[in-house]
Amino acid sequence: MIIIGADYHPGFQQIAFVDTDTGEFQERRLQHREEAEKFYRDLAAQGMQVGVGMEASGQARWFERLLAELHCELWIGDAAEIRTKRVRKQKTDRQDAQLILQLMLEDRFPKIWVPSWENRDLRQLLWHRHRMVQARTRIMNQLQAVALNEGLRCKKRLWRDAGREQLESFALAPWASRRRRDLLELLDRLTPTIAELTQAIEQEVEKCPAAQRLQTHPGVGALTALAFVLIIGRAERFQCGKQIASYLGLVPLEDSSGQRRRLGHITKQGSSMMRFLLVEAAQVTVRSDPEWRGKYFHLTMRRGRKIAKVAMARKLAVRMYWMWRKGWDLRAVEKVRFARGTTRKSPWCVVEHREIDWVSRSPLRGSSN
């Protein structure tokens, strides 16, 4: 078997490989993509069993497809954890490839979960719509600035027919008029595109029962539910809600030592799009759920609005995780909350416990004599 440790770069890869049958060790530098593709195809043509290890990085989709086509085993490792296993302060591409190879041979390679190709393709749909919405927002903000400069302040009403007529009726300078016309044309192009992508996401949600259950929660729409399912992958990967929050980067960065404990801002690891969607969904939940609204205002008074929004987003992520893992919808969640409330907070339950305690007492201790 050939075991290869690859330090992958967009233009080349530095590899260190060993033949476990003969013990032969070699190093090479392969240029992308012709030289690298020829090297791995030659190994496959010789009937060699190949295992490749590399750090998680971008711009490697063609390489993953090549190894899957050649039936080579690919291990993708956590780059941060691999970095902690480096002993020497000196760092080169050769040493990185040798370190990955050593970790694979010693069975210490920090392998991570890799989503399927279908999962990745659906993520592209989500990212495409997310970027289109961001582009439309930037265009709308520019048009709002044009309207404000002309004394028109109507906020969302600017996008109605009457507001747009007012915006187009302003007599502007030649280049300002050109800018207004181009921005309106771009806005007219993006709006139907975003509507088409939104419809495609709703169709994908109809094929996913887990996303449909998550969508029953207030504030969680088709986009947020599908994105949560795709980015988390499998609920069984995590043992508790804290791991979900850490995976999504919604936990504070900790720098503690001895008796001193310091918590900073959130780590912002994981998907930035998922954090954005959770914050937006949590704000909708706060407006529709009285309990969440009270919690949000309490945190706002203590820590400020920004921290409160992130805290509610984390709470929503944990709630969605348990709904997915337990197979619950909103009705099942309400039943569980009602059952817990009747056993812990209900005044009738407190009275019942007091009566039981009073009956269980002996006559001597219960009497005043």
Side-chain angles (χ1 to χ4, degrees), residues 130-145:
H130 184 61
R131 295 304 185 191
M132 291 295 102
V133 171
Q134 288 181 336
R136 184 178 65 176
T137 302
R138 288 192 294 267
I139 292 173
M140 295 171 69
N141 290 338
Q142 295 181 59
L143 290 172
Q144 286 280 6

Side-chain angles (χ1 to χ4, degrees), residues 21-34:
D21 297 331
T22 63
E24 181 182 3
F25 173 80
Q26 297 185 38
E27 292 179 316
R28 288 190 61 178
R29 185 186 182 97
L30 304 175
Q31 297 294 329
H32 293 161
R33 30 182 301 189
E34 291 79 8

Side-chain angles (χ1 to χ4, degrees), residues 27-312:
E27 292 179 316
R28 288 190 61 178
R29 185 186 182 97
L30 304 175
Q31 297 294 329
H32 293 161
R33 30 182 301 189
E34 291 79 8
E35 186 179 0
E37 187 171 350
K38 182 178 182 302
F39 173 78
Y40 289 102
R41 289 191 180 277
D42 291 342
L43 290 180
Q46 298 174 9
M48 304 293 295
Q49 187 178 0
V50 181
V52 182
M54 60 178 289
E55 295 180 352
S57 63
Q59 298 85 36
R61 191 162 301 173
W62 70 270
F63 184 57
E64 297 179 23
R65 286 197 302 263
L66 174 64
L67 297 182
E69 177 187 350
L70 300 177
H71 303 286
C72 299
E73 186 177 4
L74 175 62
W75 289 7
I76 298 180
D78 187 351
E81 191 170 348
I82 292 176
R83 192 181 305 116
T84 60
K85 298 180 182 296
R86 184 180 296 111
V87 178
R88 298 181 180 178
K89 294 185 177 180
Q90 185 181 10
K91 178 185 180 301
T92 63
D93 294 339
R94 291 184 57 191
Q95 292 178 350
D96 289 343
Q98 293 174 7
L99 175 62
I100 294 175
L101 176 62
Q102 179 182 358
L103 295 177
M104 295 180 68
L105 293 174
E106 297 177 355
D107 198 18
R108 296 190 299 121
F109 186 78
K111 188 177 179 180
I112 63 175
W113 173 80
V114 179
S116 62
W117 291 106
E118 294 79 5
N119 188 314
R120 295 185 183 184
D121 189 53
L122 287 177
R123 291 187 184 189
Q124 293 299 315
L125 169 62
L126 300 179
W127 270 110
H128 185 41
R129 184 193 179 279
H130 184 61
R131 295 304 185 191
M132 291 295 102
V133 171
Q134 288 181 336
R136 184 178 65 176
T137 302
R138 288 192 294 267
I139 292 173
M140 295 171 69
N141 290 338
Q142 295 181 59
L143 290 172
Q144 286 280 6
V146 172
L148 289 174
N149 285 328
E150 299 300 323
L152 177 62
R153 183 178 181 272
C154 53
K155 297 184 179 180
K156 294 183 179 180
R157 291 177 297 170
L158 183 63
W159 315 120
R160 299 176 183 175
D161 295 337
R164 178 154 180 168
E165 289 179 1
Q166 285 184 288
L167 179 62
E168 294 176 346
S169 64
F170 292 133
L172 304 177
W175 285 112
S177 178
R178 170 67 181 274
R179 181 192 179 199
R180 176 185 58 185
R181 184 176 68 252
D182 292 345
L183 290 175
L184 289 174
E185 290 178 358
L186 291 174
L187 182 62
D188 293 337
R189 292 180 186 177
L190 286 176
T191 300
T193 302
I194 294 174
E196 181 182 356
L197 296 175
T198 303
Q199 184 178 2
I201 291 174
E202 293 175 353
Q203 293 175 357
E204 293 296 334
V205 169
E206 294 177 357
K207 305 175 185 177
C208 182
Q212 293 177 6
R213 287 194 296 269
L214 296 180
Q215 200 173 352
T216 61
H217 192 280
V220 179
L223 177 61
T224 305
L226 184 61
F228 191 84
V229 172
L230 293 178
I231 291 174
I232 299 302
R234 290 184 292 106
E236 294 76 15
R237 295 171 51 208
F238 304 92
Q239 301 299 324
C240 60
K242 291 183 179 180
Q243 295 182 2
I244 286 288
S246 177
Y247 184 76
L248 297 176
L250 294 173
V251 295
L253 182 64
E254 185 172 2
D255 183 16
S256 303
S257 178
Q259 301 298 325
R260 177 182 63 86
R261 187 186 183 193
R262 180 180 178 183
L263 299 178
H265 298 289
I266 58 175
T267 61
K268 293 186 179 181
Q269 293 181 333
S271 174
S272 59
M273 178 184 65
M274 191 69 251
R275 285 194 302 275
F276 172 81
L277 294 176
L278 286 172
V279 171
E280 293 294 321
Q283 295 182 67
V284 179
T285 307
V286 166
R287 291 194 295 265
S288 58
D289 192 322
E291 181 182 353
W292 285 60
R293 189 183 306 116
K295 180 68 174 179
Y296 171 74
F297 285 132
H298 178 70
L299 290 173
T300 301
M301 297 297 295
R302 289 181 56 240
R303 304 300 303 276
R305 182 173 298 178
K306 294 182 179 179
I307 295 179
K309 289 181 180 180
V310 176
M312 300 310 294

